[in-house]
Amino acid sequence: MLWFQKLLLQCAFLEVICFSFVYNTRNWAKIPTRVSALKGSCVVIPCLFNFSRFDEYAKDVLGMWQYENFGKYINHPNPLEVVSNFKRRTDLIGDLQKHNCTLKIDAVKVDDTGPFCFRFEVPGIDRASYINHTVLIHVKDSPDVPSINRLSDVKAGVDLAVTCSVPHTCPSNPPAITWSRTNATLTVHHKATGNAMWEVSSVLKFIPLASDHMNRLTCTAQYWGGQQANISVLLNVKYKPAILSESACTVDITGQVTCQCIVDSNPPPLIEWRVSDSILNESNTGLKSFSVNNSRGEQNTVTIGVLQGGVAFTANIFCSATNTLGKASLSFTRPMSDLFIYITISVVAAVLIIAIVAAVRRLRIKRSERKQQAPEIAFRNNYGNTQAFKVVEDIYENVDANIGPYKDYRTNRHK
């Protein structure tokens, strides 16, 4: 009996050896030797396999995955065979009847490193473990940072498409990409990049405005399992000049004019001055102009054009700003200086005073002339006395009856 048991053991050993020898040339598997995975996320290990009698027994084939010298199962048709560390975390998502043995591991842990290999079984017919085709997993603590395509020529009012891409190892649950900008349209694309890696891309389309210049555009990737990563870019938006309302002219006490033409534009503008419809010529007019760059917050897009010198009171002043995207212009009103205003007020006041004095004098002269030419009348009052009155401006004025013609009247009356 003992010798019979030894014979069975030898046969069993020979069967394994023969199995490996006979089918090694026709059994094959295509599995990446190394893949990356993000801790807490999932990883999909692509796998294709074949064995010599596949076409005959494809409908009966079973698949499973092993590790640690291939004596333990991380995935098995019978869940009881799976080691506790991998229970409910693995799924054979490939279609075995189509040679596909792809495995998904969810909630990846730092010690899910492998090596792992695939094994098939056709109960009572065939079986094999592909120990020469194993895979190792490199588990990363943090995700890859997304990438944004280079934005070289962004113009206000012109459609812009920005693409944010991120690699991953979990095509069944790819990262969700969100943007900091909301008033835009989104398109999402997925593709395999090889070696158990995939990529998800989100295309953001919108029309940038001048106010978007130097604003941050942020793309955030939310990975399966909760981790996230983001990337930001500053928008360099080009736009035509706009002359700001703060632009104005001032005049000092000596009559010297200083005009500021404040322009917001990107790229910076060329500022040109015109005085009385003539382009400024310093050699002829004595005026000088220059420009200085100013900054507003993070935007270094404000340029101030300055005009200084003597300008005639009746002159018209114009400022124009031009860059590659357009042009803007503004007409200035030359203000009066404080000294000029003071002199003007003084002159007007003096003229008014002279006019008033002259009018008063004319009025007095006329009144005097009327007094000299007014008729005089005399009459007796109730006491027997004679009274004389002169009519001046329709008013009877009492006069001395003892002088002039009234004296004769009184003398003759008493005779």
Side-chain angles (χ1 to χ4, degrees), residues 241-249 258-264 269-273 289-292 302-307 317-322 328-332:
I243 300 178
L244 305 184
S245 59
E246 298 95 317
S247 302
C249 291
T258 299
C259 295
Q260 288 191 341
C261 187
I262 306 175
V263 184
D264 184 12
L270 173 64
I271 297 179
E272 182 180 80
W273 292 94
S289 65
F290 56 91
S291 297
V292 293
V302 177
T303 303
I304 303 176
V306 182
L307 175 71
I317 303 172
F318 298 92
C319 165
S320 65
T322 307
S329 60
L330 180 67
S331 174
F332 291 84

PDB file of all heavy atoms in Angstrom, residues 241-249 258-264 269-273 289-292 302-307 317-322 328-332:
ATOM      1  N   PRO A 241      -7.149  99.720 -26.055  1.00  0.00           N
ATOM      2  CA  PRO A 241      -7.068 100.767 -25.030  1.00  0.00           C
ATOM      3  C   PRO A 241      -8.435 101.299 -24.615  1.00  0.00           C
ATOM      4  O   PRO A 241      -9.377 101.350 -25.407  1.00  0.00           O
ATOM      5  CB  PRO A 241      -6.235 101.860 -25.705  1.00  0.00           C
ATOM      6  CG  PRO A 241      -5.510 101.179 -26.820  1.00  0.00           C
ATOM      7  CD  PRO A 241      -6.426 100.095 -27.288  1.00  0.00           C
ATOM      8  N   ALA A 242      -8.498 101.694 -23.367  1.00  0.00           N
ATOM      9  CA  ALA A 242      -9.654 102.408 -22.820  1.00  0.00           C
ATOM     10  C   ALA A 242      -9.118 103.564 -21.985  1.00  0.00           C
ATOM     11  O   ALA A 242      -8.314 103.367 -21.075  1.00  0.00           O
ATOM     12  CB  ALA A 242     -10.511 101.484 -21.972  1.00  0.00           C
ATOM     13  N   ILE A 243      -9.544 104.790 -22.326  1.00  0.00           N
ATOM     14  CA  ILE A 243      -9.095 105.973 -21.582  1.00  0.00           C
ATOM     15  C   ILE A 243     -10.008 106.154 -20.382  1.00  0.00           C
ATOM     16  O   ILE A 243     -11.227 106.268 -20.521  1.00  0.00           O
ATOM     17  CB  ILE A 243      -9.093 107.223 -22.476  1.00  0.00           C
ATOM     18  CG1 ILE A 243      -8.142 107.010 -23.665  1.00  0.00           C
ATOM     19  CG2 ILE A 243      -8.670 108.452 -21.678  1.00  0.00           C
ATOM     20  CD1 ILE A 243      -8.098 108.173 -24.630  1.00  0.00           C
ATOM     21  N   LEU A 244      -9.421 106.176 -19.190  1.00  0.00           N
ATOM     22  CA  LEU A 244     -10.190 106.193 -17.958  1.00  0.00           C
ATOM     23  C   LEU A 244     -10.721 107.582 -17.638  1.00  0.00           C
ATOM     24  O   LEU A 244     -10.179 108.605 -18.080  1.00  0.00           O
ATOM     25  CB  LEU A 244      -9.326 105.683 -16.803  1.00  0.00           C
ATOM     26  CG  LEU A 244      -8.703 104.297 -17.017  1.00  0.00           C
ATOM     27  CD1 LEU A 244      -7.946 103.860 -15.765  1.00  0.00           C
ATOM     28  CD2 LEU A 244      -9.768 103.262 -17.370  1.00  0.00           C
ATOM     29  N   SER A 245     -11.801 107.599 -16.852  1.00  0.00           N
ATOM     30  CA  SER A 245     -12.486 108.854 -16.542  1.00  0.00           C
ATOM     31  C   SER A 245     -11.649 109.787 -15.669  1.00  0.00           C
ATOM     32  O   SER A 245     -11.951 110.983 -15.580  1.00  0.00           O
ATOM     33  CB  SER A 245     -13.813 108.558 -15.836  1.00  0.00           C
ATOM     34  OG  SER A 245     -13.595 107.827 -14.639  1.00  0.00           O
ATOM     35  N   GLU A 246     -10.605 109.252 -15.024  1.00  0.00           N
ATOM     36  CA  GLU A 246      -9.753 110.110 -14.210  1.00  0.00           C
ATOM     37  C   GLU A 246      -8.885 111.044 -15.045  1.00  0.00           C
ATOM     38  O   GLU A 246      -8.248 111.955 -14.498  1.00  0.00           O
ATOM     39  CB  GLU A 246      -8.834 109.259 -13.315  1.00  0.00           C
ATOM     40  CG  GLU A 246      -9.575 108.379 -12.313  1.00  0.00           C
ATOM     41  CD  GLU A 246      -9.796 106.980 -12.820  1.00  0.00           C
ATOM     42  OE1 GLU A 246     -10.161 106.812 -14.010  1.00  0.00           O
ATOM     43  OE2 GLU A 246      -9.591 106.042 -12.041  1.00  0.00           O
ATOM     44  N   SER A 247      -8.828 110.838 -16.326  1.00  0.00           N
ATOM     45  CA  SER A 247      -8.017 111.689 -17.200  1.00  0.00           C
ATOM     46  C   SER A 247      -8.535 113.130 -17.160  1.00  0.00           C
ATOM     47  O   SER A 247      -9.750 113.362 -17.245  1.00  0.00           O
ATOM     48  CB  SER A 247      -8.060 111.147 -18.633  1.00  0.00           C
ATOM     49  OG  SER A 247      -7.591 109.810 -18.683  1.00  0.00           O
ATOM     50  N   ALA A 248      -7.620 114.097 -17.050  1.00  0.00           N
ATOM     51  CA  ALA A 248      -8.032 115.502 -16.938  1.00  0.00           C
ATOM     52  C   ALA A 248      -6.827 116.412 -17.108  1.00  0.00           C
ATOM     53  O   ALA A 248      -5.681 115.966 -17.122  1.00  0.00           O
ATOM     54  CB  ALA A 248      -8.705 115.759 -15.593  1.00  0.00           C
ATOM     55  N   CYS A 249      -7.121 117.718 -17.253  1.00  0.00           N
ATOM     56  CA  CYS A 249      -6.087 118.753 -17.337  1.00  0.00           C
ATOM     57  C   CYS A 249      -6.201 119.684 -16.146  1.00  0.00           C
ATOM     58  O   CYS A 249      -7.309 119.953 -15.651  1.00  0.00           O
ATOM     59  CB  CYS A 249      -6.231 119.568 -18.625  1.00  0.00           C
ATOM     60  SG  CYS A 249      -5.843 118.668 -20.137  1.00  0.00           S
ATOM     61  N   THR A 258      -1.032 121.031 -17.306  1.00  0.00           N
ATOM     62  CA  THR A 258      -0.589 119.638 -17.152  1.00  0.00           C
ATOM     63  C   THR A 258      -1.798 118.737 -17.396  1.00  0.00           C
ATOM     64  O   THR A 258      -2.775 118.798 -16.646  1.00  0.00           O
ATOM     65  CB  THR A 258      -0.015 119.364 -15.755  1.00  0.00           C
ATOM     66  OG1 THR A 258       1.120 120.210 -15.533  1.00  0.00           O
ATOM     67  CG2 THR A 258       0.415 117.907 -15.625  1.00  0.00           C
ATOM     68  N   CYS A 259      -1.704 117.937 -18.459  1.00  0.00           N
ATOM     69  CA  CYS A 259      -2.798 117.023 -18.801  1.00  0.00           C
ATOM     70  C   CYS A 259      -2.324 115.587 -18.593  1.00  0.00           C
ATOM     71  O   CYS A 259      -1.194 115.235 -18.953  1.00  0.00           O
ATOM     72  CB  CYS A 259      -3.241 117.205 -20.248  1.00  0.00           C
ATOM     73  SG  CYS A 259      -3.966 118.829 -20.590  1.00  0.00           S
ATOM     74  N   GLN A 260      -3.197 114.755 -18.039  1.00  0.00           N
ATOM     75  CA  GLN A 260      -2.923 113.335 -17.859  1.00  0.00           C
ATOM     76  C   GLN A 260      -3.952 112.506 -18.621  1.00  0.00           C
ATOM     77  O   GLN A 260      -5.149 112.653 -18.401  1.00  0.00           O
ATOM     78  CB  GLN A 260      -2.948 112.955 -16.374  1.00  0.00           C
ATOM     79  CG  GLN A 260      -1.768 113.466 -15.579  1.00  0.00           C
ATOM     80  CD  GLN A 260      -1.709 112.840 -14.196  1.00  0.00           C
ATOM     81  OE1 GLN A 260      -2.689 112.307 -13.696  1.00  0.00           O
ATOM     82  NE2 GLN A 260      -0.548 112.903 -13.573  1.00  0.00           N
ATOM     83  N   CYS A 261      -3.431 111.669 -19.506  1.00  0.00           N
ATOM     84  CA  CYS A 261      -4.272 110.752 -20.272  1.00  0.00           C
ATOM     85  C   CYS A 261      -4.009 109.350 -19.708  1.00  0.00           C
ATOM     86  O   CYS A 261      -2.956 108.753 -19.961  1.00  0.00           O
ATOM     87  CB  CYS A 261      -3.922 110.817 -21.755  1.00  0.00           C
ATOM     88  SG  CYS A 261      -5.020 109.873 -22.830  1.00  0.00           S
ATOM     89  N   ILE A 262      -4.937 108.828 -18.902  1.00  0.00           N
ATOM     90  CA  ILE A 262      -4.753 107.565 -18.193  1.00  0.00           C
ATOM     91  C   ILE A 262      -5.405 106.455 -19.010  1.00  0.00           C
ATOM     92  O   ILE A 262      -6.625 106.446 -19.202  1.00  0.00           O
ATOM     93  CB  ILE A 262      -5.351 107.639 -16.784  1.00  0.00           C
ATOM     94  CG1 ILE A 262      -4.778 108.849 -16.031  1.00  0.00           C
ATOM     95  CG2 ILE A 262      -5.083 106.359 -16.009  1.00  0.00           C
ATOM     96  CD1 ILE A 262      -5.400 109.089 -14.676  1.00  0.00           C
ATOM     97  N   VAL A 263      -4.584 105.508 -19.468  1.00  0.00           N
ATOM     98  CA  VAL A 263      -5.041 104.491 -20.423  1.00  0.00           C
ATOM     99  C   VAL A 263      -4.847 103.101 -19.833  1.00  0.00           C
ATOM    100  O   VAL A 263      -3.774 102.779 -19.305  1.00  0.00           O
ATOM    101  CB  VAL A 263      -4.262 104.600 -21.754  1.00  0.00           C
ATOM    102  CG1 VAL A 263      -4.806 103.599 -22.767  1.00  0.00           C
ATOM    103  CG2 VAL A 263      -4.349 106.021 -22.301  1.00  0.00           C
ATOM    104  N   ASP A 264      -5.887 102.293 -19.930  1.00  0.00           N
ATOM    105  CA  ASP A 264      -5.805 100.878 -19.533  1.00  0.00           C
ATOM    106  C   ASP A 264      -5.811 100.038 -20.802  1.00  0.00           C
ATOM    107  O   ASP A 264      -6.772 100.084 -21.578  1.00  0.00           O
ATOM    108  CB  ASP A 264      -7.002 100.525 -18.644  1.00  0.00           C
ATOM    109  CG  ASP A 264      -6.922  99.098 -18.118  1.00  0.00           C
ATOM    110  OD1 ASP A 264      -5.855  98.471 -18.240  1.00  0.00           O
ATOM    111  OD2 ASP A 264      -7.940  98.600 -17.596  1.00  0.00           O
ATOM    112  N   PRO A 269      -0.093 100.986 -24.697  1.00  0.00           N
ATOM    113  CA  PRO A 269      -0.419 101.767 -25.893  1.00  0.00           C
ATOM    114  C   PRO A 269       0.676 102.763 -26.269  1.00  0.00           C
ATOM    115  O   PRO A 269       1.558 103.083 -25.477  1.00  0.00           O
ATOM    116  CB  PRO A 269      -1.676 102.506 -25.459  1.00  0.00           C
ATOM    117  CG  PRO A 269      -1.416 102.800 -24.007  1.00  0.00           C
ATOM    118  CD  PRO A 269      -0.659 101.592 -23.483  1.00  0.00           C
ATOM    119  N   LEU A 270       0.571 103.252 -27.489  1.00  0.00           N
ATOM    120  CA  LEU A 270       1.320 104.424 -27.922  1.00  0.00           C
ATOM    121  C   LEU A 270       0.397 105.617 -27.734  1.00  0.00           C
ATOM    122  O   LEU A 270      -0.683 105.683 -28.332  1.00  0.00           O
ATOM    123  CB  LEU A 270       1.734 104.290 -29.390  1.00  0.00           C
ATOM    124  CG  LEU A 270       2.369 105.525 -30.014  1.00  0.00           C
ATOM    125  CD1 LEU A 270       3.689 105.857 -29.337  1.00  0.00           C
ATOM    126  CD2 LEU A 270       2.555 105.350 -31.521  1.00  0.00           C
ATOM    127  N   ILE A 271       0.806 106.589 -26.894  1.00  0.00           N
ATOM    128  CA  ILE A 271      -0.031 107.748 -26.584  1.00  0.00           C
ATOM    129  C   ILE A 271       0.446 108.942 -27.395  1.00  0.00           C
ATOM    130  O   ILE A 271       1.633 109.264 -27.407  1.00  0.00           O
ATOM    131  CB  ILE A 271      -0.001 108.056 -25.080  1.00  0.00           C
ATOM    132  CG1 ILE A 271      -0.603 106.885 -24.298  1.00  0.00           C
ATOM    133  CG2 ILE A 271      -0.768 109.342 -24.785  1.00  0.00           C
ATOM    134  CD1 ILE A 271      -0.589 107.079 -22.795  1.00  0.00           C
ATOM    135  N   GLU A 272      -0.485 109.593 -28.075  1.00  0.00           N
ATOM    136  CA  GLU A 272      -0.168 110.742 -28.923  1.00  0.00           C
ATOM    137  C   GLU A 272      -1.068 111.911 -28.534  1.00  0.00           C
ATOM    138  O   GLU A 272      -2.264 111.746 -28.285  1.00  0.00           O
ATOM    139  CB  GLU A 272      -0.385 110.375 -30.390  1.00  0.00           C
ATOM    140  CG  GLU A 272      -0.035 111.482 -31.368  1.00  0.00           C
ATOM    141  CD  GLU A 272      -0.264 111.050 -32.807  1.00  0.00           C
ATOM    142  OE1 GLU A 272      -1.426 111.085 -33.259  1.00  0.00           O
ATOM    143  OE2 GLU A 272       0.718 110.669 -33.461  1.00  0.00           O
ATOM    144  N   TRP A 273      -0.462 113.119 -28.500  1.00  0.00           N
ATOM    145  CA  TRP A 273      -1.198 114.340 -28.153  1.00  0.00           C
ATOM    146  C   TRP A 273      -1.384 115.199 -29.403  1.00  0.00           C
ATOM    147  O   TRP A 273      -0.510 115.261 -30.261  1.00  0.00           O
ATOM    148  CB  TRP A 273      -0.448 115.150 -27.102  1.00  0.00           C
ATOM    149  CG  TRP A 273      -0.396 114.494 -25.751  1.00  0.00           C
ATOM    150  CD1 TRP A 273       0.594 113.703 -25.268  1.00  0.00           C
ATOM    151  CD2 TRP A 273      -1.388 114.577 -24.734  1.00  0.00           C
ATOM    152  NE1 TRP A 273       0.289 113.285 -23.999  1.00  0.00           N
ATOM    153  CE2 TRP A 273      -0.922 113.806 -23.639  1.00  0.00           C
ATOM    154  CE3 TRP A 273      -2.621 115.223 -24.629  1.00  0.00           C
ATOM    155  CZ2 TRP A 273      -1.647 113.677 -22.465  1.00  0.00           C
ATOM    156  CZ3 TRP A 273      -3.345 115.084 -23.456  1.00  0.00           C
ATOM    157  CH2 TRP A 273      -2.863 114.318 -22.388  1.00  0.00           C
ATOM    158  N   SER A 289       5.855 115.983 -23.656  1.00  0.00           N
ATOM    159  CA  SER A 289       4.986 114.880 -23.252  1.00  0.00           C
ATOM    160  C   SER A 289       5.849 113.670 -22.917  1.00  0.00           C
ATOM    161  O   SER A 289       6.933 113.496 -23.456  1.00  0.00           O
ATOM    162  CB  SER A 289       4.000 114.529 -24.368  1.00  0.00           C
ATOM    163  OG  SER A 289       4.689 114.026 -25.493  1.00  0.00           O
ATOM    164  N   PHE A 290       5.337 112.851 -22.017  1.00  0.00           N
ATOM    165  CA  PHE A 290       6.021 111.609 -21.663  1.00  0.00           C
ATOM    166  C   PHE A 290       4.985 110.652 -21.092  1.00  0.00           C
ATOM    167  O   PHE A 290       3.846 111.037 -20.781  1.00  0.00           O
ATOM    168  CB  PHE A 290       7.146 111.868 -20.655  1.00  0.00           C
ATOM    169  CG  PHE A 290       6.703 112.567 -19.400  1.00  0.00           C
ATOM    170  CD1 PHE A 290       6.294 111.845 -18.286  1.00  0.00           C
ATOM    171  CD2 PHE A 290       6.688 113.963 -19.338  1.00  0.00           C
ATOM    172  CE1 PHE A 290       5.886 112.490 -17.142  1.00  0.00           C
ATOM    173  CE2 PHE A 290       6.280 114.612 -18.182  1.00  0.00           C
ATOM    174  CZ  PHE A 290       5.875 113.880 -17.080  1.00  0.00           C
ATOM    175  N   SER A 291       5.368 109.381 -20.952  1.00  0.00           N
ATOM    176  CA  SER A 291       4.464 108.359 -20.441  1.00  0.00           C
ATOM    177  C   SER A 291       5.117 107.628 -19.282  1.00  0.00           C
ATOM    178  O   SER A 291       6.339 107.445 -19.242  1.00  0.00           O
ATOM    179  CB  SER A 291       4.100 107.352 -21.541  1.00  0.00           C
ATOM    180  OG  SER A 291       3.396 107.981 -22.587  1.00  0.00           O
ATOM    181  N   VAL A 292       4.296 107.252 -18.323  1.00  0.00           N
ATOM    182  CA  VAL A 292       4.769 106.459 -17.186  1.00  0.00           C
ATOM    183  C   VAL A 292       3.819 105.291 -16.990  1.00  0.00           C
ATOM    184  O   VAL A 292       2.616 105.410 -17.212  1.00  0.00           O
ATOM    185  CB  VAL A 292       4.842 107.310 -15.898  1.00  0.00           C
ATOM    186  CG1 VAL A 292       5.895 108.366 -16.006  1.00  0.00           C
ATOM    187  CG2 VAL A 292       3.487 107.925 -15.564  1.00  0.00           C
ATOM    188  N   VAL A 302      -1.846  99.930 -16.748  1.00  0.00           N
ATOM    189  CA  VAL A 302      -2.236 101.339 -16.824  1.00  0.00           C
ATOM    190  C   VAL A 302      -1.026 102.177 -17.216  1.00  0.00           C
ATOM    191  O   VAL A 302       0.022 102.109 -16.587  1.00  0.00           O
ATOM    192  CB  VAL A 302      -2.816 101.830 -15.490  1.00  0.00           C
ATOM    193  CG1 VAL A 302      -3.140 103.317 -15.566  1.00  0.00           C
ATOM    194  CG2 VAL A 302      -4.064 101.036 -15.144  1.00  0.00           C
ATOM    195  N   THR A 303      -1.190 102.952 -18.289  1.00  0.00           N
ATOM    196  CA  THR A 303      -0.151 103.855 -18.758  1.00  0.00           C
ATOM    197  C   THR A 303      -0.683 105.282 -18.682  1.00  0.00           C
ATOM    198  O   THR A 303      -1.814 105.550 -19.104  1.00  0.00           O
ATOM    199  CB  THR A 303       0.258 103.523 -20.201  1.00  0.00           C
ATOM    200  OG1 THR A 303       0.693 102.169 -20.265  1.00  0.00           O
ATOM    201  CG2 THR A 303       1.374 104.430 -20.674  1.00  0.00           C
ATOM    202  N   ILE A 304       0.125 106.193 -18.154  1.00  0.00           N
ATOM    203  CA  ILE A 304      -0.282 107.590 -18.024  1.00  0.00           C
ATOM    204  C   ILE A 304       0.550 108.438 -18.973  1.00  0.00           C
ATOM    205  O   ILE A 304       1.771 108.503 -18.850  1.00  0.00           O
ATOM    206  CB  ILE A 304      -0.110 108.092 -16.580  1.00  0.00           C
ATOM    207  CG1 ILE A 304      -0.912 107.215 -15.609  1.00  0.00           C
ATOM    208  CG2 ILE A 304      -0.549 109.546 -16.458  1.00  0.00           C
ATOM    209  CD1 ILE A 304      -0.720 107.601 -14.159  1.00  0.00           C
ATOM    210  N   GLY A 305      -0.127 109.050 -19.926  1.00  0.00           N
ATOM    211  CA  GLY A 305       0.531 110.000 -20.812  1.00  0.00           C
ATOM    212  C   GLY A 305       0.372 111.401 -20.255  1.00  0.00           C
ATOM    213  O   GLY A 305      -0.724 111.818 -19.872  1.00  0.00           O
ATOM    214  N   VAL A 306       1.480 112.156 -20.168  1.00  0.00           N
ATOM    215  CA  VAL A 306       1.472 113.480 -19.550  1.00  0.00           C
ATOM    216  C   VAL A 306       1.858 114.537 -20.579  1.00  0.00           C
ATOM    217  O   VAL A 306       2.841 114.371 -21.318  1.00  0.00           O
ATOM    218  CB  VAL A 306       2.429 113.532 -18.343  1.00  0.00           C
ATOM    219  CG1 VAL A 306       2.371 114.906 -17.670  1.00  0.00           C
ATOM    220  CG2 VAL A 306       2.080 112.440 -17.340  1.00  0.00           C
ATOM    221  N   LEU A 307       1.088 115.612 -20.616  1.00  0.00           N
ATOM    222  CA  LEU A 307       1.379 116.774 -21.475  1.00  0.00           C
ATOM    223  C   LEU A 307       1.581 117.975 -20.566  1.00  0.00           C
ATOM    224  O   LEU A 307       0.746 118.261 -19.695  1.00  0.00           O
ATOM    225  CB  LEU A 307       0.217 117.026 -22.433  1.00  0.00           C
ATOM    226  CG  LEU A 307       0.323 118.277 -23.311  1.00  0.00           C
ATOM    227  CD1 LEU A 307       1.398 118.085 -24.370  1.00  0.00           C
ATOM    228  CD2 LEU A 307      -1.013 118.602 -23.969  1.00  0.00           C
ATOM    229  N   ILE A 317      -7.348 120.326 -26.951  1.00  0.00           N
ATOM    230  CA  ILE A 317      -6.358 119.315 -26.585  1.00  0.00           C
ATOM    231  C   ILE A 317      -6.977 117.932 -26.761  1.00  0.00           C
ATOM    232  O   ILE A 317      -8.072 117.661 -26.265  1.00  0.00           O
ATOM    233  CB  ILE A 317      -5.892 119.505 -25.125  1.00  0.00           C
ATOM    234  CG1 ILE A 317      -5.328 120.923 -24.924  1.00  0.00           C
ATOM    235  CG2 ILE A 317      -4.847 118.460 -24.757  1.00  0.00           C
ATOM    236  CD1 ILE A 317      -5.021 121.239 -23.475  1.00  0.00           C
ATOM    237  N   PHE A 318      -6.263 117.059 -27.481  1.00  0.00           N
ATOM    238  CA  PHE A 318      -6.748 115.702 -27.726  1.00  0.00           C
ATOM    239  C   PHE A 318      -5.672 114.691 -27.338  1.00  0.00           C
ATOM    240  O   PHE A 318      -4.475 114.929 -27.515  1.00  0.00           O
ATOM    241  CB  PHE A 318      -7.097 115.501 -29.202  1.00  0.00           C
ATOM    242  CG  PHE A 318      -8.198 116.403 -29.695  1.00  0.00           C
ATOM    243  CD1 PHE A 318      -7.886 117.630 -30.260  1.00  0.00           C
ATOM    244  CD2 PHE A 318      -9.524 116.023 -29.592  1.00  0.00           C
ATOM    245  CE1 PHE A 318      -8.881 118.473 -30.719  1.00  0.00           C
ATOM    246  CE2 PHE A 318     -10.528 116.855 -30.052  1.00  0.00           C
ATOM    247  CZ  PHE A 318     -10.214 118.089 -30.620  1.00  0.00           C
ATOM    248  N   CYS A 319      -6.118 113.546 -26.813  1.00  0.00           N
ATOM    249  CA  CYS A 319      -5.226 112.442 -26.500  1.00  0.00           C
ATOM    250  C   CYS A 319      -5.736 111.206 -27.249  1.00  0.00           C
ATOM    251  O   CYS A 319      -6.940 110.925 -27.254  1.00  0.00           O
ATOM    252  CB  CYS A 319      -5.201 112.165 -24.996  1.00  0.00           C
ATOM    253  SG  CYS A 319      -4.468 110.564 -24.553  1.00  0.00           S
ATOM    254  N   SER A 320      -4.825 110.468 -27.883  1.00  0.00           N
ATOM    255  CA  SER A 320      -5.190 109.214 -28.538  1.00  0.00           C
ATOM    256  C   SER A 320      -4.236 108.117 -28.066  1.00  0.00           C
ATOM    257  O   SER A 320      -3.045 108.363 -27.863  1.00  0.00           O
ATOM    258  CB  SER A 320      -5.142 109.337 -30.058  1.00  0.00           C
ATOM    259  OG  SER A 320      -3.830 109.574 -30.501  1.00  0.00           O
ATOM    260  N   ALA A 321      -4.785 106.904 -27.860  1.00  0.00           N
ATOM    261  CA  ALA A 321      -3.999 105.752 -27.404  1.00  0.00           C
ATOM    262  C   ALA A 321      -4.247 104.600 -28.369  1.00  0.00           C
ATOM    263  O   ALA A 321      -5.392 104.255 -28.660  1.00  0.00           O
ATOM    264  CB  ALA A 321      -4.393 105.358 -25.984  1.00  0.00           C
ATOM    265  N   THR A 322      -3.161 103.989 -28.850  1.00  0.00           N
ATOM    266  CA  THR A 322      -3.267 102.951 -29.868  1.00  0.00           C
ATOM    267  C   THR A 322      -2.394 101.757 -29.506  1.00  0.00           C
ATOM    268  O   THR A 322      -1.249 101.933 -29.066  1.00  0.00           O
ATOM    269  CB  THR A 322      -2.818 103.490 -31.243  1.00  0.00           C
ATOM    270  OG1 THR A 322      -3.529 104.693 -31.541  1.00  0.00           O
ATOM    271  CG2 THR A 322      -3.090 102.466 -32.337  1.00  0.00           C
ATOM    272  N   ALA A 328      -8.285 104.452 -28.941  1.00  0.00           N
ATOM    273  CA  ALA A 328      -9.238 105.255 -28.178  1.00  0.00           C
ATOM    274  C   ALA A 328      -8.741 106.688 -28.147  1.00  0.00           C
ATOM    275  O   ALA A 328      -7.535 106.935 -28.232  1.00  0.00           O
ATOM    276  CB  ALA A 328      -9.396 104.713 -26.756  1.00  0.00           C
ATOM    277  N   SER A 329      -9.657 107.646 -28.062  1.00  0.00           N
ATOM    278  CA  SER A 329      -9.267 109.057 -28.029  1.00  0.00           C
ATOM    279  C   SER A 329     -10.182 109.824 -27.091  1.00  0.00           C
ATOM    280  O   SER A 329     -11.292 109.393 -26.783  1.00  0.00           O
ATOM    281  CB  SER A 329      -9.320 109.665 -29.437  1.00  0.00           C
ATOM    282  OG  SER A 329     -10.625 109.569 -29.973  1.00  0.00           O
ATOM    283  N   LEU A 330      -9.681 110.997 -26.653  1.00  0.00           N
ATOM    284  CA  LEU A 330     -10.443 111.824 -25.710  1.00  0.00           C
ATOM    285  C   LEU A 330     -10.086 113.278 -25.939  1.00  0.00           C
ATOM    286  O   LEU A 330      -8.924 113.623 -26.167  1.00  0.00           O
ATOM    287  CB  LEU A 330     -10.122 111.419 -24.267  1.00  0.00           C
ATOM    288  CG  LEU A 330     -10.848 112.196 -23.168  1.00  0.00           C
ATOM    289  CD1 LEU A 330     -12.343 111.893 -23.206  1.00  0.00           C
ATOM    290  CD2 LEU A 330     -10.272 111.861 -21.795  1.00  0.00           C
ATOM    291  N   SER A 331     -11.109 114.151 -25.880  1.00  0.00           N
ATOM    292  CA  SER A 331     -10.913 115.592 -25.994  1.00  0.00           C
ATOM    293  C   SER A 331     -10.936 116.211 -24.602  1.00  0.00           C
ATOM    294  O   SER A 331     -11.800 115.877 -23.778  1.00  0.00           O
ATOM    295  CB  SER A 331     -12.015 116.204 -26.859  1.00  0.00           C
ATOM    296  OG  SER A 331     -11.916 117.616 -26.867  1.00  0.00           O
ATOM    297  N   PHE A 332      -9.977 117.096 -24.344  1.00  0.00           N
ATOM    298  CA  PHE A 332      -9.868 117.728 -23.034  1.00  0.00           C
ATOM    299  C   PHE A 332     -10.332 119.186 -23.117  1.00  0.00           C
ATOM    300  O   PHE A 332     -10.133 119.858 -24.135  1.00  0.00           O
ATOM    301  CB  PHE A 332      -8.422 117.704 -22.529  1.00  0.00           C
ATOM    302  CG  PHE A 332      -7.922 116.334 -22.170  1.00  0.00           C
ATOM    303  CD1 PHE A 332      -7.418 115.497 -23.155  1.00  0.00           C
ATOM    304  CD2 PHE A 332      -7.966 115.894 -20.868  1.00  0.00           C
ATOM    305  CE1 PHE A 332      -6.946 114.236 -22.829  1.00  0.00           C
ATOM    306  CE2 PHE A 332      -7.499 114.629 -20.531  1.00  0.00           C
ATOM    307  CZ  PHE A 332      -6.994 113.799 -21.513  1.00  0.00           C
TER     308      PHE A 332
END
